[in-house]
Amino acid sequence: EVQLVESGGGLVQPGGSLRLSCAASGFTFSSYWMTWVRQAPGKGLEWVANIKRDGSEKYCVDSVKGRFTISRDNAKNSLFLQMNSLRAEDTAVYYCARDSGFGGKDSFDIWGQGTMVTVSS
Amino acid sequence: AIQMTQSPSSLSASVGDRVTITCRASQAIGNDLGWYQQKPGKAPKLLIYAASSLQSGVPSRFSGSGSGTDFTLTISSLQPEDFATYYCLQDYNYPRTFGQGTKVEIK
């Protein structure tokens, strides 16, 4: 079964750090760009970052630049999001998603169940 | 960053209705647009990519159109399972940006 499972969320104080993981199974992980998307409570979706198949290209939204780092380990079929200097506004459910690149376009066809990150003192 | 503006923000409709949701980009994005459906407490689901290509397994009552700055998601005959929130997403450049969402509710 094609599947993504996130882990690593939790409660952290402002200024703290967390590392999210996304375990992939059922497909050739190294063949796909991967993406993180987040959703604050009661709010819409926000694209956070993505990473190329071999990790050689990475992009992120301005609000997390210098604080969040996306990475991957193709040998372990895993995607990561290292989050430092966390702020209250980073509170959200974080989803990882596979980008199948259909038609040469972003197409997030497989999603994880999400992991909740709460930044609060 | 490119701003994506959806309208309406919410709508009420009945089963069998034709529903149209619009997404407008703050600059031309070609056909670099996707549509996603999200139900409460669930991850989003891909419906449409490249503005008008139907994702495998998605019912044919869903269709997408548009190019440049104006895009439309149409549900030809609303079904009970279609009550959800819908989002557009541009992948023309970075950072990718979603619309604010359109909630489709039961009338």
Side-chain angles (χ1 to χ4, degrees), chain A residues 33 37 39 43-47 50 59-62 95 99 102-109 111-114, chain B residues 31-34 36 38 41-46 48-50 55 87 89-91 94-100:
Chain A
W33 284 71
V37 172
Q39 187 169 36
K43 303 297 184 181
L45 301 172
E46 181 181 30
W47 179 90
N50 70 352
Y59 302 90
C60 67
V61 67
D62 284 352
Y95 296 100
D99 182 359
F102 296 131
K105 313 296 184 183
D106 283 8
S107 42
F108 306 147
D109 66 330
W111 294 69
Q113 83 288 354
Chain B
N31 69 337
D32 295 342
L33 185 108
Y36 294 81
Q38 187 181 35
K42 300 295 186 181
K45 174 186 175 182
L46 174 66
I48 302 284
Y49 61 92
Q55 167 67 352
Y87 295 91
L89 170 67
Q90 68 81 16
D91 62 292
Y94 289 106
R96 306 313 197 206
T97 44
F98 285 93
Q100 81 279 13

